[in-house]
Amino acid sequence: EVQLVESGGGLVQPGGSLRLSCAASGFTFSSYWMHWVRQAPGKGLVWVSRINGDGGTTLYADSVKGRFTISRDNAKNTLYLQMNSLRAEDTAVYYCARRSDYGGWFDYWGQGTLVTVSS
Amino acid sequence: EIVLTQSPGTLSLSPGERATLSCRASQSVSGRYLAWYQQKPGQAPRLLIYDASSRATGIPDRFSGSGSGTDFTLTISRLEPEDFAVYYCQQYAGTPWTFGQGTKVEIK
């Protein structure tokens, strides 16, 4: 059974940092591109970042470019999102999602972890 | 960036009724690379439809997708109680990947 479990969310002050993790199981993690998607309270889904299977290629939304870094440890079956210089507008539930093996859609999602940026 | 606009914002219907949700793109979505997701309160999104009209594994056949170019539709033929939720369309034809703002299907 495919499982994605996020962790690492919490309350952080503006300008602070946080690292999110997404532990994957039930599939060959290194074979899949992975994404982070966020959802501000009461709002819609917004794509944040993507990484390919070996971690060599990454892509970011303009809103987080230069502040967030996506990475993965295929030996640990874990995806990461390092978030620096956090702003109030980064407050959201952050989901990790797996890109399907057959196309660009997201076939499995984690349950999400809440990041709150506030003083 | 491809902007997706969903309508209506809220759809008030009764169980057993037919739901028709629209997703319009700001430019043509090549390859019909469009997906639909369902999200219930406090839950992660769940894939319903990919490539505009293919149902994901385990999705009941009352859910169907159609469309091409800039206009796409998700239809729920007969609403079941568990179908009341928010629905998002998403395009994966170009980067950045983008989502519509969502349509809430609520019980009338």
Side-chain angles (χ1 to χ4, degrees):
Chain A
E1 179 194 4
V2 171
Q3 283 200 322
L4 298 170
V5 180
E6 300 94 337
S7 60
L11 175 63
V12 61
Q13 292 188 337
S17 298
L18 213 53
R19 187 176 83 156
L20 306 184
S21 300
C22 170
S25 60
F27 63 102
T28 304
F29 180 66
S30 60
S31 297
Y32 288 82
W33 291 18
M34 298 294 296
H35 294 256
W36 287 99
V37 176
R38 69 185 180 183
Q39 186 171 37
K43 302 296 185 182
L45 302 167
V46 177
W47 173 78
V48 172
S49 184
R50 180 228 80 192
I51 189 167
N52 71 336
D54 66 10
T57 305
T58 58
L59 203 59
Y60 298 93
D62 286 346
S63 59
V64 306
K65 202 174 297 182
R67 301 188 299 122
F68 289 13
T69 302
I70 190 172
S71 63
R72 63 193 300 160
D73 184 336
N74 287 340
K76 294 183 178 179
N77 289 341
T78 303
L79 173 72
Y80 302 102
L81 186 67
Q82 177 67 44
M83 304 186 295
N84 298 331
S85 303
L86 282 161
R87 307 166 180 167
E89 54 264 36
D90 296 318
T91 294
V93 173
Y94 284 74
Y95 296 100
C96 61
R98 190 184 84 165
R99 179 194 182 271
S100 168
D101 207 15
Y102 301 99
W105 59 92
F106 303 164
D107 59 356
Y108 286 94
W109 297 64
Q111 86 289 349
T113 188
L114 175 62
V115 173
T116 303
V117 184
S118 175
S119 55
Chain B
E1 172 175 327
I2 299 177
V3 176
L4 300 178
T5 303
Q6 292 185 240
S7 61
T10 302
L11 203 48
S12 298
L13 295 168
S14 301
E17 290 194 294
R18 181 185 188 90
T20 304
L21 288 66
S22 173
C23 177
R24 180 160 291 176
S26 60
Q27 57 188 276
S28 182
V29 178
S30 63
R32 302 177 77 226
Y33 291 153
L34 188 115
W36 289 92
Y37 301 88
Q38 177 194 67
Q39 188 178 35
K40 296 179 181 179
Q43 295 187 16
R46 171 195 181 198
L47 176 68
L48 298 175
I49 301 287
Y50 62 91
D51 287 349
S53 60
S54 297
R55 265 188 306 276
T57 303
I59 301 304
D61 60 8
R62 64 180 180 272
F63 291 92
S64 63
S66 63
S68 64
T70 60
D71 290 297
F72 297 86
T73 300
L74 174 70
T75 301
I76 311 171
S77 59
R78 288 179 58 86
L79 283 164
E80 296 289 339
E82 62 267 27
D83 299 337
F84 291 92
V86 179
Y87 293 83
Y88 294 95
C89 58
Q90 178 221 2
Q91 66 79 24
Y92 44 93
T95 57
W97 293 262
T98 51
F99 294 86
Q101 82 280 17
T103 290
K104 181 179 182 180
V105 179
E106 65 176 23
I107 300 176
K108 186 174 182 180

